Amino acid sequence: MPGFELFGDLERKEVNDVLDNGVLMRYGFGGMRNGHWKAKELESELAKTFNSKYVQLVSSGTAAVSVALASAGVGAGDEVIMPTFTFVASFEAIMLLGAIPVLVDIDSTLTLDPKAVEASITPKTKAVMMVQMCGSMGNMDALRTICNKHNLIFVEDACQAIGGTYKGKQLGSIADVGCFSFDFVKTITCGEGGAVVTNNNQYYLNADHYSDHGHDHIGNDRGAETHPFLGYNFRISELNAAVGLAQVRRLSEFVKIQKRNYSILREALAHIPEVTFRTVPEGGEESYAFLNFFLPDLESARKVFKGFKENGIDVCFHYYDNNWHYIRKWDHLKDLKSLFPISNEVKQGLEYLKTKTFEQSDHWIARNISCLIKLSWTKEEVSVRAQKMVEIIKAF
Ligand SMILES: *Cc1c(COP(=O)(O)O)cnc(C)c1O
């Protein structure tokens, strides 16, 4: 996945354009910047890539989720449905707005189970957030139907799945508003950065203003701009945007490499009867950023994962025992360990986490092993790796 592996002359050239004139900020300073508007250019490049009307760059993927929700009007006391398996950023971004994360079971797609989503809807539910984990996706049609039926905002976090598609559409561009991260380990990196993607003009204008202190961005005198509403600073810098501009032009090249490496590993593992793969919804094509597979039970998954580690098969994850991506280890959330007081509404809203269990999610995550697909591997390296993985799994 990490685009940083192929950082090179193209990235350096874009960064040097910015260094040549020293305008490190994305807004204003038109006279000094010799025509270089890297953030703006990256936004139009991304809009083309996603075939979406609007893209707003921000400072991170976490910021993108908060800005997306805020732009759609999600705030204090609103419930946002999200999966139990995701990155901690999902609930962080929701809670930043004073909203309440409602964690819901996943299915064999490794993201939201539509049935579990529907069962969790209450009068306070405002949005449903699909997180396209590890390069693949959930059942977007089923979620769209549920959101329409209950009049909910449909949000898509495609931070880990750039380049994947569902029924011909780019992941991240399907829901009402989509979010991307360009942090250092994502398929396309800016170092730090993120994007909000939408076809909704109002959401876009809201995101544009909100991510820059509420500035309306009308005219070319920042000091004279008005503030139609309160905002914040989630701006990306020109330096970060410059790196992303070089990287996004290489997206199809990166996805092609991911697909080649993924396919070699998958074909090798597919010969083992005990190994099964995650479900990809009909009409979906993964970004191939990860290969996810299931073993028969928790014990075999733990043993195989240990075997991988001891034999140099790195960049694989057993998320059941991992602190970052699964509800089981999020004690800081369950215990609400906050530096500052949290509203009573959110405290009460999160009470359920003290007792709720997620057997269905455990069923999938306990048995799952997720292997990152690197861009720097040669075909030969992947073949050797595949053989080693097969031997380790067969030994158990
Ligand atoms: C990386 C990631 C984020 C957060 O992105 P940052 O840029 O690191 O803030 C959010 N959601 C998912 C699914 C991610 O993988």
Side-chain angles (χ1 to χ4, degrees), residues 1 59-65 86-90 92 131-134 157-160 180-186 192-194 325:
M1 178 160 84
S59 51
S60 71
T62 314
V65 180
T86 177
F87 183 49
V88 290
S90 298
E92 291 170 354
V131 184
Q132 319 286 29
M133 282 300 279
C134 304
D157 173 343
C159 290
Q160 295 193 6
F180 286 94
S181 164
F182 307 117
D183 79 19
F184 194 53
V185 295
K186 299 302 202 282
E192 298 284 0
H325 292 84

Side-chain angles (χ1 to χ4, degrees), residues 98-110:
I100 301 161
V102 174
L103 276 68
V104 161
D105 268 324
I106 58 164
D107 60 22
S108 63
T109 63
L110 292 179

